[in-house]
Amino acid sequence: MRIAQEHSPTKEKLLEAAQRLMLAKGFAATSLEDICGEARLTKGSFFHYFKSKEQLGKEVLERFCRMMRERLKQAPFQAKRDPIDRLDGILEFMIQMSKEPIAKQGCLLGSFSQELTQTHPEIRQCCAGQFQQWTEEFKRELDAVKSHYAPKTAIDTESLAQHYIAIVEGSLILAKAQQKTSVMAENLRHFKRYLHSLFRQQS
């Protein structure tokens, strides 16, 4: 019996097709037939790599989040030494990403969280884990700023990191509903001014 390769062009085609369709249509509305047709592969190829649609969903989600993190790691702001400049860089990077065509379809992590948490507990756990990792990563940036600049008041950086995620995800929903691409930029720039006021920086 052949053993499925963890990384292969065929598996990548299936993951890419599933991500594209699930962003556009949602998890439930995307059938295995849709995915195989989009990838131009057979169901036999699908079941060679995935035992179920749920396993595929988990791997698509992990791939989506991993790709986002890789883009952040390679962004120019990573070279900045001042933590407040790095924080500004993250927000501006997210603003620029919101202008890309794929942003109009929303965030797969947010979409899965809304659609699947009541029906697919394993995917719900994956969503919770990805949000927690995102929170921890942004919290580290906030902690660096907090240690470098004296804040006006005590700041709960974990709660502030969750607030940032709520702004990003909420902005994506509003942008889709309003068909307005500027929503993310407006809300993140409000948040940027708020952060600067907390850390006694001029906007």
Side-chain angles (χ1 to χ4, degrees):
M1 183 177 71
R2 288 192 304 141
I3 298 174
Q5 293 177 306
E6 183 63 25
H7 303 289
S8 78
T10 301
K11 183 176 183 180
E12 187 63 21
K13 283 182 182 179
L14 289 164
L15 289 167
E16 177 62 32
Q19 178 177 310
R20 190 160 52 245
L21 290 170
M22 289 176 182
L23 273 171
K25 299 167 56 176
F27 180 88
T30 300
S31 68
L32 297 186
E33 289 78 7
D34 292 336
I35 295 165
C36 292
E38 181 78 5
R40 298 184 179 182
L41 295 167
T42 65
K43 273 194 176 182
S45 295
F46 176 88
F47 285 110
H48 182 65
Y49 293 99
F50 308 100
K51 65 180 180 181
S52 65
K53 184 180 173 184
E54 184 167 43
Q55 182 192 348
L56 170 71
K58 289 163 62 178
E59 292 199 32
V60 168
L61 178 63
E62 289 166 359
R63 174 182 181 272
F64 177 85
C65 294
R66 183 173 63 251
M67 289 172 68
M68 286 291 296
R69 291 191 181 96
E70 286 302 316
R71 288 195 64 180
L72 277 167
K73 286 179 183 177
Q74 295 168 14
F77 71 82
Q78 296 287 359
K80 295 183 181 296
R81 293 186 177 183
D82 190 312
I84 200 75
D85 290 341
R86 284 174 54 83
L87 201 59
D88 288 348
I90 293 172
L91 301 181
E92 289 300 325
F93 178 82
M94 295 300 292
I95 288 170
Q96 292 305 311
M97 283 192 63
S98 73
K99 298 175 183 178
E100 297 177 1
I102 195 172
K104 294 180 181 178
Q105 296 180 331
C107 169
L108 196 68
L109 177 55
S111 297
F112 275 18
S113 296
Q114 293 178 77
E115 182 185 359
L116 303 175
T117 53
Q118 299 301 317
T119 55
H120 293 73
E122 289 189 17
I123 293 180
R124 183 203 66 76
Q125 291 177 354
C126 288
C127 290
Q130 294 292 344
F131 274 126
Q132 183 60 35
Q133 187 171 347
W134 190 2
T135 299
E136 290 170 358
E137 289 165 355
F138 196 70
K139 181 182 181 297
R140 284 196 291 271
E141 299 291 346
L142 291 169
D143 286 339
V145 177
K146 184 177 178 180
S147 67
H148 195 272
Y149 296 97
K152 294 178 181 178
T153 58
I155 297 172
D156 180 348
T157 53
E158 182 171 3
S159 178
L160 194 55
Q162 291 176 348
H163 181 44
Y164 160 69
I165 293 171
I167 290 171
V168 171
E169 294 295 334
S171 294
L172 288 169
I173 292 171
L174 286 173
K176 287 178 72 174
Q178 299 173 4
Q179 291 293 287
K180 184 181 176 184
T181 58
S182 62
V183 172
M184 181 76 76
E186 292 167 0
N187 289 335
L188 284 181
R189 285 179 177 139
H190 282 312
F191 185 61
K192 179 179 175 180
R193 287 191 290 271
Y194 173 61
L195 289 178
H196 279 239
S197 70
L198 280 179
F199 295 111
R200 295 182 179 177
Q201 296 294 303
Q202 293 183 348
S203 301

